[in-house]
Every structure is written in C-alpha cells, then in structure tokens.
Amino acid sequence: MAYLQALLQQCPSTFFSRSSSPPRIPPKLSAISCCSSATTFTLVDGTVERSASDRNAVRLGLPSKGRLGTETLELLKNCQLSVRQLNPRQYVADIPQISNLEVWFQRPKDIVRKLRSGDLDLGIVGLDTFSEYGQGDEDLIIVHDALEYGDCHLSIAIPRYGIFENINSLSELAQMPQWTIEKPLRIATGFTYLGPKFMRERGLKHVTFSTADGALEAAPAMGIADAIIDLVSSGTTLRENNLKEIEGGVVLESQAVLVASKKSLIRQNGVLDTTHEILERLEAHLRALGQFTVTANMRGSSMQEVAERVLSQPSLSGLQGPTISPVFCKRDGKVTPDYYAIVICVPKKALYKSVQQLRAIGGSGVLISPLTYIFDEETPRWRNLLIQLGL
C-alpha cells in the first residue's frame, strides 16, 4: 500500500476528484492510471501489478553514455541502422530504417529495469548488467549473446601481500582458517546479486558483502574488505593496486548482448518483426567481420578439374565450397574458356595461407576484398528465439 500511496501523491490530478478527500479504494481490486504514462496499474490484494501497455511504438533501450554507448551506436551504424538523434540532450531518438521504433537512451541498469517493468521492449547492455539487475527474471530473454564488443569479466580479486600472498585459487581462499562465523571473509562489490549467488553456488559459507560503487580496488588496502568482486578488462588497475585474480574466481564472462522482454515479443504489436530485422542485420554484419572474398584465375581443362584442385587444399573450401566460372578469351578468332575464376570466402587469420595455396595450384591475378554482410538462408539465433518463445 505504501507504493500505491506514493503513486497517488505523484499524480493527484489523475486520481482525485475536485473534493478535498480522496475516494475510497476497495480492498480487493482497483485500477489506477497515471497521466504521465500509458502504463496501467492494477491493485490486487494490496499488491500493485503492471498490465500490458497499450502503446503502439516498439521501444529499444540503448546505453546513454560511455564506451558501451559509443560502440553500440557504431555497431548499429555498420548494420545500416544509424540512430538519428535530433538533439544530443534528448533521451529519445529513432532509426529511420525501421518504422515505428523508438530509441531510448538510458543507463544500462535502467534498461534492464524498464524491460522488467514493461516500459522497454528491447535493449542492448552488457551481460554483467543484464544478469545483475535481471536477477533471473524468466520474462527476460537474450536474443543475441555475442555482439563482439564490451568484453570484460566479473572476477574476485585479493591482495598480493599478507595472508593472501600464497593464495592462488578460490578453493585455497575458502579453506583459509581465518574465516569463521564470527570473522567471515569480507567482500566489497557493486554486484550484490551475482556476488552472493556465486559464493553460495561454490559452497563458501562464511562470507559477508558490503556494497560499493567505484574505486573498489582501494577497499582491501583501507582495511574495509578482504577481497573485491569487480569487472576486469585488462587487469592493469588490479595490478597497479597490488591485487590479483585467482583460479576459479571468475564469476561471469561478459560482453554486449541484445535482450528483450518475452512478454513484449509475444504480446506487443510489431516487437517480434522488429526484433527479426534487427537480429538479421546484426547476424549478417557480425558474421562478415574478419572475412574476405578471394578471387583468382586458374587454368584448367574443366570446372570439375579446377574444383578438385581447389578442394584438395584445406584452406580453400570457403563457406560451402568454391564458386567456379569460366573466363572467356578470344584466340585465333574463337572464344574459348582458357581460364576459370575461383571465388571463395576466407577468414582473416587464414588469408595469406590461402593465397599461398592458390598460387601453389596455379592461381594467378588474386584479388582480395573485405566482406560487409553474410546473410544465411535462416538466421540461427532467430530459430532459437522462436523455440524459446514456443512459436
């Protein structure tokens, strides 16, 4: 009831008549609405429940600041989904290529919260943020689990000195005789859901947590914690503060992910179609990253004979196999296929080796160009999403 009273105080013009006294609210069921939102609330047995919104636009939440925000906009731009923000101070924008889509710039943790509340339908955040603030909510679903940026991991770190000098694993940390009910292991972290959950799952009993945001690395040196659980990218900050990671101490590997509300995908008009388009564009672009098209000319008696030579080399098979077509030349007044053109797709790490193998079997005039998109007949993650939704 305290939550309901707060709502009534925020929007008195909506809930109250012109009389000085508010109307009596029936104890079992009452519907209330707020003038500033299209969301409808229902009070059932003293509990406020949120019903499906009647808005028409699909809402996508994006990180508003920082490196994650910048890299998210860059990824969408590379997928031909440039975000159009008329005023940099505004929190709402659009993507012209997708009609009926609103982009809302929010803090990552607020994106997850608003997915849970139904105020957003889709979002891009780090997996760490999604896991921490999603807290296992079954309505939240990961649509794309590897957007290839924002890489980091959530990890336990302990001092390199003192009683921890020879401690190099989580099991060794747990077996230290210092930790008792009266004097538990003290961990400082901003991840108050994932941290305790990880410790419980690993069987560590004598542990207490203190909440903190930022500058966690100073906590052990200040004597206010024995260890920390924090995000680690390169590990430089830990080393500079005389801390170390330990074996078995990684709580979560994280990168940017595309997430959604399952209810929105099933019930909200247009969300599933919009998700399909965004997912296909992401998949096509990300699959093409680091891939190159290699074209070469090769003499041969037939396409079959050339194909056999190409497929004899392990690095020249391409996605499904080489594409081979005749190259016609005019000799002695006759048009004949003296050469055959080979087109294959090669990953960057195998590029030079592939060129060497092409030359070894008679390839010449090798041309190389980067790939922008690779569209599959069906996007694998789309098929998996439909299975998860039971569609």
Side-chain angles (χ1 to χ4, degrees), residues 180-191:
T180 64
I181 296 177
E182 293 77 19
K183 188 180 178 182
L185 173 68
R186 301 168 302 159
I187 298 179
T189 185
F191 291 83

Side-chain angles (χ1 to χ4, degrees), residues 102-137:
E102 294 177 353
V103 174
W104 289 83
F105 291 102
Q106 302 283 299
R107 295 183 302 176
K109 61 183 179 181
D110 289 334
I111 291 175
V112 181
R113 287 168 175 164
K114 289 175 181 177
L115 283 168
R116 296 182 72 181
S117 68
D119 294 310
L120 290 174
D121 305 306
L122 300 164
I124 293 179
V125 293
L127 180 60
D128 58 292
T129 303
F130 176 78
S131 302
E132 172 68 20
Y133 294 95
Q135 299 188 357
D137 190 332

Side-chain angles (χ1 to χ4, degrees), residues 147-262:
L147 296 181
E148 304 293 341
Y149 66 96
D151 292 346
C152 60
H153 59 273
L154 185 63
S155 182
I156 299 172
I158 60 175
R160 294 177 175 273
Y161 49 85
I163 61 173
F164 299 102
E165 184 175 358
N166 297 316
I167 303 299
N168 296 301
S169 69
L170 184 63
S171 60
E172 292 174 350
L173 179 66
Q175 293 167 12
M176 292 178 68
Q178 285 87 348
W179 318 132
T180 64
I181 296 177
E182 293 77 19
K183 188 180 178 182
L185 173 68
R186 301 168 302 159
I187 298 179
T189 185
F191 291 83
T192 55
Y193 172 77
L194 290 177
K197 179 176 180 288
F198 178 80
M199 287 302 192
R200 286 194 304 270
E201 291 173 348
R202 297 303 184 277
L204 278 77
K205 298 179 180 179
H206 305 314
V207 184
T208 60
F209 290 84
S210 59
T211 58
D213 291 315
L216 285 178
E217 293 82 4
M222 294 178 69
I224 60 178
D226 302 303
I228 66 172
I229 292 181
D230 201 11
L231 292 175
V232 180
S233 295
S234 64
T236 301
T237 304
L238 291 181
R239 290 190 293 272
E240 290 180 348
N241 286 275
N242 215 9
L243 298 175
K244 63 182 178 182
E245 294 183 80
I246 55 177
E247 181 183 347
V250 175
V251 179
L252 180 74
E253 295 284 354
S254 180
Q255 63 176 297
V257 294
L258 173 66
V259 296
S261 161
K262 189 181 296 185

Side-chain angles (χ1 to χ4, degrees), residues 70-110:
T70 301
E71 292 185 343
T72 297
L73 293 178
E74 185 66 24
L75 171 65
L76 292 174
K77 182 180 179 181
N78 290 335
C79 296
Q80 303 300 309
L81 293 173
S82 296
V83 176
R84 181 175 61 182
Q85 189 177 16
L86 299 180
N87 185 335
R89 295 179 180 270
Q90 291 179 335
Y91 290 101
V92 64
D94 68 350
I95 296 177
Q97 292 85 357
I98 301 180
S99 61
N100 204 37
L101 176 67
E102 294 177 353
V103 174
W104 289 83
F105 291 102
Q106 302 283 299
R107 295 183 302 176
K109 61 183 179 181
D110 289 334

Side-chain angles (χ1 to χ4, degrees), residues 285-301:
H285 171 67
L286 292 172
R287 192 176 181 199
L289 285 178
Q291 298 282 342
F292 290 83
T293 299
V294 177
T295 305
N297 289 336
M298 187 177 298
R299 287 188 180 273
S301 58

